[in-house]
Amino acid sequence: MGTCICPIDAQFFDQVAALLTPPTLPQIQEYFEVLEAKRHCSGLKVKPDAKHGKGVHSEVNFQEDDLILKDEMLVGAQHSSNKIDCFVCSFCFRFIGSIELQIGRKLYLQELGVSAVDGSGSSDGIGCNTSSEKTRIPQDTIQSLMNSNLQLPYSENFPLPLVVPCLGGCKEAYYCSKSCAEADWDSFHSLLCIGHGSSSPSTEALLKFVKHANETNDIFILAAKVISFTILRYRKLKAAHVQREGKHDSSNQFDSCIFPLLLEAWKSVSMGFKRRWWDCIALPEDVDSSEKVEFRMQIKDLAFESLQLLKEAIYDKECAPLFSLDIYGHIIGMFELNNLDLVVASPVEDYFLYIDDLPVSQKKEVENLTKPFLDALGDDYSISCQGTAFFPLQSCMNHSCIPNAKAFKREEDKDGQATIVALRPIFKGEEVTISYIDEDLPYDERQELLADYGFRCKCPRCIEEQL
Ligand SMILES: [Zn+2]
Ligand SMILES: [Zn+2]
Ligand SMILES: [Zn+2]
């Protein structure tokens, strides 16, 4: 007796396998040519590479400190814990509002956090007995900062874009512009919004999913954005297809056209994934090698839990293969391995540095006004916006322990795009490399970290040092 495989299951697994088939080299090159043209970066080319599969090569000469690439993210998210510190556009991650709003909002949320922890409830600021050593600002002053009744000196030199709310009416996502609000709605947020305008079949399930992610690992929120992005793109492609071809009254003929549309919608994601999350996650230091397998199983279980919650929130039958654990693991692994931090420097830091640099004659008077706020914010006043993102072109850059380029934010880079600058002159035809790890570590530690990426580094420095 043979095992009976339901034809529907067989088709499902075939489709998952098709989604997980790495793109061919011509497909990769075609995809990146379009990207390069859009990004107006003519100096780079993604080329096949015998050692790593693919790599980014320079087509011109770059000088030291030259900007090599500004790469737009495919998907990114601010860390949940960072949302208290920085109020940024949910699409481009630019700081929004005003210096006063950034400071007021942070003090307000800090205060909320303190009250929640020490139970002091309705404390009214400075002078009240508190365990916190930070100066406390009275609630009504904090409110004045937030509703722009109070203006701090020289803040007009640090203008920020006005806050635009979410189109779906949630109180979670805010933007720097109408165009960012619309782009986010179109690409990700309409399916993940918990407002009244959401197209999620169950915003209640969505809330459960987000809660689970915040309590366990906020990388799940990023994975949800990738799935939402693919579904929304698929729906657009399908609508265009139906308009072109007309609908064959839900016959099989139409069904067989659907899957290629899903593959097409998935294409930009397929450029990025490498390994499943539970196979590539770095082991925490307190896990020794005998517990390795068990640890990876726990991670897999956690991903399964999260996926079930996401399924309840945004499942789409036509995109069923996207909700397989295998796909979910690969999406999360993509963020784990490409190791691309999203960082945007804080204008609040710039503001206080500016005040500190004022001529002595003005400084004293100004500082009388600003210092209480600086003290209340404490050491955290300069925290930058932090998160994780996937940058398609940057992710193609190979690692070297003596890299010729690095990710670096310049003064003028105010949003979440990745910027790569040359560390030394790079010549036409040379491969552009960055370091995935802290390259100052000794040889053995570097190799150990890089093992999670699935390779042993054989860069010139490692070859020399292994002897
Ligand atoms: Zn924006
Ligand atoms: Zn929303
Ligand atoms: Zn190396």
Side-chain angles (χ1 to χ4, degrees):
M1 264 201 322
T3 321
C4 164
I5 297 176
C6 163
I8 292 176
D9 281 353
Q11 190 194 24
F12 176 84
F13 289 115
D14 284 349
Q15 292 182 342
V16 170
L19 288 169
L20 289 177
T21 306
T24 63
L25 204 73
Q27 281 171 335
I28 294 175
Q29 278 174 323
E30 190 198 317
Y31 174 77
F32 283 105
E33 266 157 35
V34 175
L35 266 195
E36 284 158 18
K38 261 207 285 196
R39 306 239 195 308
H40 310 291
C41 60
S42 48
L44 299 176
K45 190 132 218 99
V46 176
K47 281 191 187 163
D49 181 308
K51 260 190 300 182
H52 309 102
K54 59 183 186 242
V56 176
H57 292 256
S58 156
E59 295 218 298
V60 292
N61 293 327
F62 289 105
Q63 301 297 316
E64 185 177 336
D65 293 332
D66 272 359
L67 175 71
I68 299 178
L69 166 71
K70 228 174 142 84
D71 198 7
E72 256 170 65
M73 66 183 70
L74 182 70
V75 47
Q78 186 184 10
H79 288 313
S80 307
S81 57
N82 186 252
K83 289 186 177 174
I84 295 174
D85 298 305
C86 306
F87 190 37
V88 299
C89 173
S90 298
F91 187 70
C92 75
F93 304 98
R94 205 180 288 267
F95 280 76
I96 51 178
S98 61
I99 295 293
E100 288 82 358
L101 179 60
Q102 292 288 339
I103 296 173
R105 180 180 169 276
K106 182 166 168 175
L107 293 176
Y108 174 74
L109 292 172
Q110 261 178 14
E111 198 74 10
L112 270 187
V114 169
S115 319
V117 173
D118 69 10
S120 61
S122 61
S123 65
D124 57 358
I126 289 177
C128 75
N129 206 0
T130 160
S131 53
S132 157
E133 285 179 16
K134 286 175 184 169
T135 311
R136 289 173 77 174
I137 303 287
Q139 274 301 332
D140 52 350
T141 310
I142 292 179
Q143 289 301 332
S144 310
L145 279 175
M146 287 168 69
N147 59 28
S148 54
N149 284 336
L150 178 64
Q151 207 201 335
L152 295 175
Y154 297 107
S155 68
E156 68 276 11
N157 293 344
F158 300 85
L160 299 178
L162 284 180
V163 177
V164 175
C166 162
L167 300 176
C170 72
K171 301 255 182 307
E172 298 289 322
Y174 292 93
Y175 303 92
C176 72
S177 60
K178 205 165 163 259
S179 63
C180 272
E182 284 169 357
D184 194 33
W185 186 257
D186 232 35
S187 311
F188 308 101
H189 191 63
S190 54
L191 208 46
L192 297 173
C193 179
I194 49 165
H196 56 79
S198 174
S199 38
S200 155
S202 166
T203 49
E204 209 173 300
L206 210 43
L207 278 169
K208 270 194 216 157
F209 166 79
V210 172
K211 185 165 178 278
H212 176 266
N214 285 337
E215 285 167 0
T216 56
N217 196 326
D218 61 10
I219 207 162
F220 294 135
I221 291 179
L222 218 47
K225 282 182 104 168
V226 171
I227 292 182
S228 169
F229 166 85
T230 311
I231 294 174
L232 292 170
R233 234 186 101 60
Y234 161 78
R235 288 179 187 168
K236 262 177 247 150
L237 292 171
K238 188 182 155 192
H241 178 87
V242 169
Q243 205 172 32
R244 238 184 4 255
E245 312 281 319
K247 197 166 168 33
H248 307 265
D249 40 36
S250 76
S251 64
N252 286 336
Q253 203 183 351
F254 183 71
D255 280 353
S256 64
C257 309
I258 281 182
F259 187 64
L261 297 177
L262 185 60
L263 268 182
E264 175 64 26
W266 171 254
K267 196 160 101 187
S268 35
V269 184
S270 75
M271 300 291 157
F273 62 77
K274 289 167 185 162
R275 304 172 73 192
R276 287 182 204 90
W277 186 39
W278 42 90
D279 294 330
C280 66
I281 187 172
L283 294 175
E285 275 178 18
D286 57 346
V287 172
D288 66 49
S289 53
S290 65
E291 297 161 330
K292 226 165 152 175
V293 177
E294 199 186 331
F295 174 76
R296 295 200 188 281
M297 278 307 292
Q298 281 169 3
I299 290 295
K300 189 175 172 181
D301 289 345
L302 190 65
F304 182 74
E305 249 173 60
S306 166
L307 180 62
Q308 295 314 303
L309 295 169
L310 184 64
K311 235 170 142 171
E312 273 167 47
I314 65 168
Y315 186 74
D316 179 329
K317 191 167 94 270
E318 291 176 16
C319 300
L322 289 182
F323 293 89
S324 79
L325 187 58
D326 219 5
I327 297 271
Y328 204 53
H330 274 92
I331 295 173
I332 304 168
M334 165 170 124
F335 295 109
E336 185 80 23
L337 283 185
N338 287 304
N339 196 24
L340 300 172
D341 293 336
L342 164 68
V343 183
V344 185
S346 162
V348 176
E349 178 180 28
D350 296 340
Y351 172 73
F352 283 115
L353 290 175
Y354 175 89
I355 300 294
D356 196 47
D357 273 351
L358 285 173
V360 188
S361 56
Q362 293 171 39
K363 193 169 154 179
K364 195 150 187 331
E365 199 187 328
V366 171
E367 269 192 337
N368 278 339
L369 292 164
T370 58
K371 193 153 184 307
F373 295 110
L374 186 57
D375 289 344
L377 291 169
D379 295 339
D380 298 346
Y381 81 95
S382 63
I383 286 183
S384 52
C385 165
Q386 288 159 18
T388 307
F390 176 67
F391 302 97
L393 267 176
Q394 186 186 340
S395 78
C396 289
M397 291 184 176
N398 287 316
H399 165 86
S400 168
C401 306
I402 34 163
N404 55 20
K406 67 165 178 183
F408 179 74
K409 284 292 177 91
R410 302 158 308 158
E411 191 82 1
E412 62 266 46
D413 300 318
K414 304 281 189 208
D415 63 15
Q417 292 185 58
T419 43
I420 304 287
V421 297
L423 282 170
R424 56 172 172 80
I426 301 175
F427 299 104
K428 187 175 170 180
E430 213 181 320
E431 180 173 7
V432 178
T433 53
I434 53 177
S435 178
Y436 295 175
I437 55 161
D438 176 1
E439 72 267 25
D440 294 331
L441 291 169
Y443 175 83
D444 288 335
E445 283 177 50
R446 294 203 311 269
Q447 293 294 353
E448 206 173 303
L449 287 172
L450 292 167
D452 291 324
Y453 290 84
F455 67 91
R456 266 198 91 70
C457 185
K458 295 195 183 89
C459 75
R461 188 174 148 208
C462 284
I463 289 177
E464 199 182 298
E465 288 180 9
Q466 76 181 350
L467 299 172

